[in-house]
């Protein structure tokens, strides 16, 4: 789904935005908002045959600024547990109950996920790091430490 403020630029258009600084989050649990998603196709790999996929753009607001993580959800029975975890995280699915995925309600949904750090090498040999989603938490569970008022 395309943001209504996004559009293709013409060769002679005026640009205003400065380059955004990439924010690498430390490994941990974070609340997220689904900024958008695109429908795409997975061409197939050793582990997964060709199938549809949803390319999620997740927004995480932090004190350092806004971080974005792109996460793929593969629409295949092999990855059905991951789909269930995501839809449970955003509150659409209840544990133990079937769900017809409602992609129209995905943009703007919120949830909580464990974010990890992945290292990789670029095509020109540079070492880089990026964030990745390790797991989604159920909407009704709290991952924040519990506390009692007045105790530290």
């Amino acid at each position: 789904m395309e943001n209504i403020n996004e559009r293709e630029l013409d060769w002679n258009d005026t640009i205003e935005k400065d380059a955004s600084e990439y924010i690498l989050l430390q490994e941990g649990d974070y609340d997220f908002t689904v900024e958008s998603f695109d429908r795409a196709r997975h061409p197939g790999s050793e582990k997964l045959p060709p199938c549809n996929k949803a390319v999620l753009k997740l927004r995480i607001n932090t004190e350092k600024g806004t971080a974005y993580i792109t996460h793929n959800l593969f629409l295949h029975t092999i990855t059905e547990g991951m789909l269930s975890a995501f839809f449970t995280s955003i509150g659409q699915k209840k544990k133990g109950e079937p769900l017809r995925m409602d992609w129209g309600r995905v943009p703007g949904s919120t949830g909580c996920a464990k974010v990890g750090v992945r290292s990789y090498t670029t095509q020109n040999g540079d070492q880089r790091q990026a964030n990745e989603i390790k797991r989604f938490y159920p909407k009704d569970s709290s991952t924040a430490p519990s506390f009692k008022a007045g105790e530290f």
Side-chain angles (χ1 to χ4, degrees), residues 23 29 33 45 59 72 80 122:
I23 296 175
D29 299 333
T33 300
S45 65
R59 182 181 73 233
N72 293 321
E80 190 172 348
T122 64

Side-chain angles (χ1 to χ4, degrees), residues 9 66 77 85-86 90 94 105 131:
L9 294 172
T66 303
T77 55
F86 170 72
I90 63 171
K94 303 288 185 228
R105 291 180 38 213
N131 288 122

Side-chain angles (χ1 to χ4, degrees), residues 59-80:
R59 182 181 73 233
I60 298 174
N61 296 319
T62 71
E63 292 176 4
K64 294 180 181 178
T66 303
Y68 292 94
I69 298 176
T70 300
H71 183 75
N72 293 321
L73 287 176
F74 299 97
L75 280 68
H76 197 282
T77 55
I78 293 171
T79 60
E80 190 172 348

Side-chain angles (χ1 to χ4, degrees), residues 87-132:
F87 279 99
T88 300
S89 178
I90 63 171
Q92 278 196 40
K93 185 177 184 319
K94 303 288 185 228
K95 186 174 174 96
E97 295 180 11
L99 170 79
R100 180 176 300 275
M101 298 178 288
D102 186 351
W103 293 99
R105 291 180 38 213
V106 168
S109 295
T110 60
C112 185
K114 175 170 266 328
V115 173
V117 178
R118 171 179 59 87
S119 297
Y120 65 97
T121 305
T122 64
Q123 289 181 341
N124 63 0
D126 293 339
Q127 296 294 313
R128 300 270 170 87
Q129 290 185 313
N131 288 122
E132 64 182 356

